[in-house]
Amino acid sequence: MENSPITTEQVSQLIAKILNWTAPGPDGINNFWIKRFIATHPYLSYHFNQFMDDAGNIPDFLSQRITYLLPKNRDCENPSKYRPITCLCTIYKIYTACIAEKIYKYLDVNKLLAEEQKGCIKKSHGCKAQLIIDSVVLEQVHKDNNNLYIAYIDYRKAFDSVPHSWLTHVLQIYKTDSLIINSLQQLMKKWTTTLKVNAKNNHIISDLIRIQRGIYQGDSLSPLWFCLALNPPSYLLNRTNYI
């Protein structure tokens, strides 16, 4: 994968796609203002390239997030009865969106993603497309009275269970730009969150909690990165000639 800088035009195009008033993370910046203050876009692209060239310059706050614990019912004494909603820094999501765009173009040009993977493919309906394919195949098998064996794999807490070591290694397997790998490694080392809960009219905020496993949810990179992490098993299954 060739190294190419992040341009101001790319940053502006990605910012134009984000929703205006989604809840911000610890940086407190709403997407609406990032869209309107276009004079900041050249500075964002400049600092993003600095993060690429020297990952040690990435500030700690960029990787921090805040997790709001919302009670599912009135049983506020039971921790399992809370629904976690996590908000990432706006600047972090823009930066990872730039990285995701670069990685996706590289994977797409070189046809590296498995044909069976539709989850993060552009101009694809993802799960809906796969269900339609399954339906057509099953109808044809039933019509021809043939035998067919299908195995479905359901990953429990999929995003939460991927080891960070494998996330790094899979990028190396597919020869992703080394600057991107170094940058993401530094980000993962600084992945932290704070828990915030409103219990009996008291605002309780925890200390920083280190994220030691899994992928952040809520940014553009995570789905692509997760699909890439599962790409080698698809390749190995295809080599068995059982599919």
Side-chain angles (χ1 to χ4, degrees):
M1 179 177 180
E2 295 182 358
N3 175 33
S4 60
I6 297 172
T7 66
T8 301
E9 182 181 4
Q10 290 172 334
V11 171
S12 298
Q13 289 175 350
L14 290 171
I15 290 175
K17 299 177 183 178
I18 59 181
L19 300 176
N20 282 335
W21 296 108
T22 55
D27 58 1
I29 303 175
N30 284 108
N31 297 336
F32 175 85
W33 302 113
I34 291 287
K35 284 185 177 182
R36 293 301 182 271
F37 294 149
I38 58 176
T40 63
H41 296 182
Y43 294 97
L44 288 175
S45 62
Y46 169 78
H47 285 292
F48 290 166
N49 285 307
Q50 290 292 310
F51 298 161
M52 286 282 191
D53 295 336
D54 185 1
N57 286 328
I58 299 177
D60 292 346
F61 83 87
L62 195 69
S63 297
Q64 294 175 5
R65 60 183 179 177
I66 184 166
T67 301
Y68 298 93
L69 298 178
L70 306 180
K72 298 179 182 178
N73 51 41
R74 294 186 178 182
D75 184 13
C76 297
E77 301 296 328
N78 187 349
S80 66
K81 299 301 181 180
Y82 285 85
R83 178 181 293 106
I85 304 295
T86 300
C87 299
L88 307 178
C89 287
T90 300
I91 304 300
Y92 175 90
K93 289 190 288 187
I94 297 172
Y95 180 49
T96 55
C98 293
I99 293 177
E101 188 78 9
K102 290 162 68 74
I103 293 178
Y104 180 81
K105 287 181 179 178
Y106 167 70
L107 297 175
D108 186 47
V109 168
N110 293 279
K111 308 298 181 184
L112 294 177
L113 283 175
E115 176 64 26
E116 302 79 29
Q117 179 54 251
K118 299 290 191 299
C120 58
I121 302 299
K122 293 183 179 180
K123 299 181 180 180
S124 171
H125 293 286
C127 184
K128 190 179 296 183
Q130 299 290 54
L131 290 173
I132 292 174
I133 293 172
D134 280 2
S135 177
V136 172
V137 171
L138 289 172
E139 286 183 9
Q140 189 63 42
V141 169
H142 181 71
K143 179 181 177 181
D144 296 340
N145 197 27
N146 290 332
N147 292 325
L148 176 67
Y149 298 92
I150 300 178
Y152 295 95
I153 301 174
D154 182 19
Y155 293 93
R156 186 178 65 178
K157 295 185 178 296
F159 273 28
D160 300 339
S161 59
V162 184
H164 289 178
S165 58
W166 176 247
L167 291 174
T168 300
H169 188 56
V170 77
L171 293 174
Q172 296 169 342
I173 289 175
Y174 292 102
K175 295 180 171 54
T176 309
D177 180 10
S178 60
L179 294 179
I180 289 179
I181 296 176
N182 292 336
S183 181
L184 292 176
Q185 280 183 307
Q186 289 300 317
L187 286 173
M188 282 193 291
K189 290 178 182 178
K190 300 177 181 181
W191 279 356
T192 55
T193 189
T194 55
L195 303 180
K196 184 175 182 179
V197 60
N198 296 332
K200 298 180 180 179
N201 298 322
N202 292 324
H203 299 284
I204 302 173
I205 302 178
S206 72
D207 295 331
L208 285 176
I209 300 172
R210 173 86 167 82
I211 308 299
Q212 299 181 338
R213 186 180 64 182
I215 311 178
Y216 269 174
Q217 298 192 32
D219 68 336
S220 302
L221 177 61
S222 293
L224 177 62
W225 204 355
F226 178 76
C227 290
L228 191 62
L230 296 183
N231 210 52
S234 294
Y235 172 75
L236 293 174
L237 284 171
N238 285 330
R239 286 188 61 187
T240 62
N241 295 324
Y242 286 112
I243 300 179

